[in-house]
Amino acid sequence: MSHIRRWTSLLAAIGIGLALPCTLPAQDLAAAKTAERSCTKCHDEGDKHQVLSILATKHAVMGDPRTPYADQACITCHGPSEAHLDAEDDANRPKPDYSFASGELAAGSNEVCLTCHERGEQTHWKGSAHETANVACSSCHQVHAQQDLVADRDTQSDVCYGCHKDVRAQNLRPFRHPVHEGKVACSDCHSPHGSASGKGLLTKATLNETCYTCHAEKRGPFLWEHAPAREDCSSCHTPHGSVHQSMLKARGPWLCQQCHLAPQHPSTAYSGTGLPGATRPSGAQQMLGRNCMNCHPYVHGSNHPSGVRKTQ
Amino acid sequence: MKIRHEVPMRLRYRSLCVALWIALAAPGLVYAQDDFSLGDEPAPEESSEAQLKALTEPDNHISLGFHHVSDDSYRFGRFNGLQDEGTVGVLGLEYQKKPVHDSGDTTYFGVSLKDLGLDTVSLNAEYGQQGNFDLAFEFDRIQSLGSDSASTIFTNAGASNVVLPSNWVAGQTTATMSQLRNSLRPYKFGTERERIAVSGGKVFDDPKWDLVSSYRFEKKDGSKPLAGTFGNTGGNPRAVFMPEPIDWNTHQFDAALRYADGGKQFSVGYYLSVFENDNSALNFQNPYAFITGWTPNAGVGYPTGVGQLSLPPDNDFHQFFANGGWDVSPTLRLNGDVNIGRMNQNDDFLPYTINPTLAASITQPLPRDSLDGEIDTTAVNLRISSRPGEGLHWNASYRYDDRDNQTPRNEYVVVPGNSLAQDVSATSSRRRFNEPYSYKEHRFRAEGGFRFLDDNELFASAQRRVIDRHYSEVEELDDDELRIGLRRDFGGLIGGRISYLDGSRSGSEYIENEGFLMGYSPAYIATVPGGWENVPGLRRYNVADRERAQWSGQLVFTPDERWALSLDAHVTQDDYEESTLGLTAARSRSYSVDISYAVDSDAAVYAFFARDSVDSDQTGQSVGGGTRVTDAVNLGRRWFIDHRDDVEAIGFGFNGKGLEGRFNYGVDVSYVDTEARVRTTTGSVLTFRTLVPAVTRLTSANFYANYTVDEHWSVAGRFWVEDYTSRDWAYDGIPPDQLANVILLGEDSPDYTVKVISLSLSYRF
């Protein structure tokens, strides 16, 4: 960058700083920025990419010495980017050292974010499913935006659906969690930055523990357990959505009959023969209403001493 | 002036319009950090102070509006609070006070109030000094409405001791309950959760250390359907539905001390969850007259017979956790975490029976007063990961998951269904042993990837799980998976990935009657022909041998900045080749197509189509009581089920701006069609008939517009129409007295057409 242009850029940055309410005196700002390259001559409020909105985010709070702005503002994250600043020809201007754009190796730009954000959940990032899939932090997060869509419960799922279209499809099924209404967010169950759960990037150490955060009444332990429920809720349920009530994988009695074929009614072949007949009462009580749960509602376990058959 | 679509509601099908942005950005999901195309630099004198304010000042606003709902529908409003016909006012507030970035101030404060006026109101508030401490408060009300077409015969439904009307006429079946229909009262099921959460964090003087903690209290009220049964077996069971009162409290607390310094991080913490139920039991009056098979002269039948159902017992969970990570070098990292916990449940047992005559028959009392249920949980994860060069990455991990069930095992001589005396004979089928299931898993996994030709990566993974179970048909199970795939970075003309997974699961000998042998007394087992409870040949699918094949692919085509086309497919095939009976095969297939087009900088259109199907095969064997042994091998008594669930979803939308950005408008339309079919065929001895599929159809159209009057005022409007149709043979046209031995709720599967007109006025400050 030419000498004159460098000083012009710096003065422009100072001018913008003075125009903002409650700014530091010009000489303090200049002092703080003597080592800073000015990016805002070009990337100002008229830029079609809304870069300056970062000033309203936590990343720009200079009073917090941990923030990139308290360090060297833009270049803390984007790198010194000498070639980008010094280029004379806009049409062939090289990108900044880190532009967090598509086409850039995720691992490299992610290291910038991890410099500060590697505690808590992000401790598990390296080696996690998203990291090994080369997902960049900037794939989900909008650092420059006042409102990061993925951090807002109302819009978070839309970000996740961008890659997880099969989950989007499942959430369109009639029996589902209230994700569309903003009452359940993907991050209520999942830790996308990595987790202790193994498969599924769940918020807790196991799938069942994750479910118990909202469904603690199912935790027990119970006197009469139902083994698949004790072990894994997803043995019977599809939490992203189902065409069956209670988000079951299949409907009763046939779901239950995949594991229970005792003599008499548990092993009976159910079909349209169980529908109501011409007279009343008629019909198979294992099919109509709530099928097996017409008598055996305690499918998650029973603590009643006489409840061994899950009837009480 | 930042233009914003302002409608103070949480009603969202924004997935349909935001899908546009997602598609435009490609599933690489690059948002504002896309390639900078500088174009013409604006000269400084053209810069706008208003533009700068819009970018850097929070969008504080208060909104007042209303929703007018055209019709009642529990289904439409089950989660969104708009279940009642009529007009409701709604207030919303978004306020943030943020420090000016270079002022030196770090104090911030924010309040977000949504849907005040609806049952789904939520409030979030935060306050803190960035880099020092933060506090957050949350209140949220979550409703889940059940059926509004149900009815019950109990006069005080919803209580914990429900009784029949004084003029009730009992019968041995519903056929002779002459007052049943006259006694029906409408009952609306549903629950409401109210959550309060407080959380905070403190950064210590040494910023490497911080402390975070949160407490959440949830109260859940309402009811859900629960069936109560009298009787045991042999055709004498009789059931009736009633509301289960829900009055639950859940407390959750966690705290963690954390350390982070360059490439080293660790944290230690504690998590507590406590569940409390204000009701321990639900008693209900027996609507059935005495049935042969029940203990005579014991007052089991109407009017004296009273049944007792257990309700979820209080329980708690304590867990200590520690995790850490260490960048051994710039290219090598170690991670580990340990989670050690204990689940407890020790509510006093309900009695075997509350029938005084049957209680007097008890000669072998409860072996203990309470369960003393306890499960010790241990989960350990260790991982080493490396990116030795730009083109290579790998990681290896080990996971240990142990759930050691320490719950005491005892013999209980049950009094089934408040209808039979205790039978303490050695060969009694009511001598039962509880089975405290334990589970232990070791998981070994390695994966890696190699980049070539800049944007392409070949990746692979291998995984073995070794699972040990107690009281299970299979003591040890091995589950192996191999995956290989190819990935091309998104953002160019074409990006995508494709992968294939091959899985194989097998285990130790399948002990078919393990549960039977562990659950009954040896003397009783000896009396059972064949010595089994479930027909030999049955394999429970969660422990059965299984072969799995899975294909997954995604392709994104972005010919230029305006267009994006995305194709997505997932196919999974599971085969249970060793399973003669039970689930024998399952397949899921999911395909979607998304397309988006940016007409210009102010307008865009999108469309998507998704098709999803799950089908599975299962085989059964119909076996009688006295003829069980011969029936079990009679192929004429075999039956076959073909399940098929299909979902198709279509959506499209458009959004645009006009009047120099002051007017935003758009439309989102979606149609979702589901069908669940069960097709039965049988061997020669049995009969079957076709079942019609259960179907749902949802059509939703959402028209919205927002006009900015000036820098402070804006108005927004929305017209939302939704039509939902469903058919389910299990409910439609099934009155409460349809079945002889079960008094049902008489619910219908829901249909509705609801229109919502919403208007709001917003003031920005």
Side-chain angles (χ1 to χ4, degrees), chain B residues 594-607:
Chain B
D594 288 72
I595 187 166
S596 62
Y597 175 65
V599 177
D600 53 37
S601 61
D602 290 334
V605 296
Y606 73 90

Side-chain angles (χ1 to χ4, degrees), chain B residues 19-180:
Chain B
L20 160 71
W21 298 108
I22 294 165
L24 271 179
L29 290 170
V30 177
Y31 282 93
Q33 291 80 9
D34 204 348
D35 296 348
F36 284 121
S37 173
L38 295 175
D40 294 331
E41 286 181 30
E45 59 270 19
E46 295 176 4
S47 301
S48 158
E49 190 171 326
Q51 277 181 295
L52 188 62
K53 274 185 78 172
L55 288 172
T56 58
E57 287 193 354
D59 181 24
N60 296 331
H61 59 271
I62 184 166
S63 305
L64 182 64
F66 69 86
H67 302 297
H68 176 74
V69 183
S70 66
D71 297 87
D72 289 340
S73 171
Y74 86 89
R75 173 79 192 181
F76 175 77
R78 59 187 170 143
F79 297 137
N80 63 28
L82 297 176
Q83 63 273 10
D84 295 323
E85 176 186 344
T87 303
V88 59
V90 180
L91 181 73
L93 171 69
E94 296 284 340
Y95 175 76
Q96 292 184 74
K97 183 182 181 306
K98 298 180 179 180
V100 175
H101 79 286
D102 57 359
S103 66
D105 184 16
T106 62
T107 305
Y108 63 92
F109 171 72
V111 174
S112 173
L113 174 67
K114 295 180 181 174
D115 293 342
L116 180 64
L118 297 180
D119 292 333
T120 52
V121 60
S122 68
L123 172 70
N124 288 273
E126 59 175 4
Y127 169 72
Q129 289 180 352
Q130 187 174 324
N132 184 11
F133 71 92
D134 63 87
L135 293 169
F137 171 83
E138 176 191 338
F139 171 81
D140 197 9
R141 192 181 288 153
I142 305 167
Q143 69 175 30
S144 177
L145 300 183
S147 172
D148 63 359
S149 59
S151 50
T152 174
I153 58 174
F154 294 101
T155 59
N156 57 341
S160 58
N161 193 342
V162 294
V163 297
L164 295 162
S166 58
N167 63 342
W168 180 257
V169 175
Q172 292 190 328
T173 71
T174 58
T176 53
M177 293 176 177
S178 58
Q179 287 298 313
L180 192 156

Side-chain angles (χ1 to χ4, degrees), chain B residues 444-447 459-465 479-485 499-505 548-551:
Chain B
F444 307 88
R445 183 178 174 87
E447 58 188 307
F459 61 91
S461 67
Q463 176 177 287
R464 161 160 279 216
R465 296 167 68 205
D479 191 349
D480 297 324
E481 286 182 358
L482 284 172
R483 181 192 296 266
I484 188 166
S499 68
Y500 172 73
L501 178 146
D502 186 89
S504 179
R505 186 173 79 188
R548 167 168 283 182
Q550 193 175 76
W551 298 265

Side-chain angles (χ1 to χ4, degrees), chain A residues 45 139 154 158 173 180 235, chain B residues 12 22 29 47 140 541 612:
Chain A
E45 62 276 14
S139 297
D154 284 344
D158 302 330
R173 296 172 182 172
H180 298 155
S235 296
Chain B
R12 290 176 52 249
I22 294 165
L29 290 170
S47 301
D140 197 9
Y541 60 83
D612 204 9

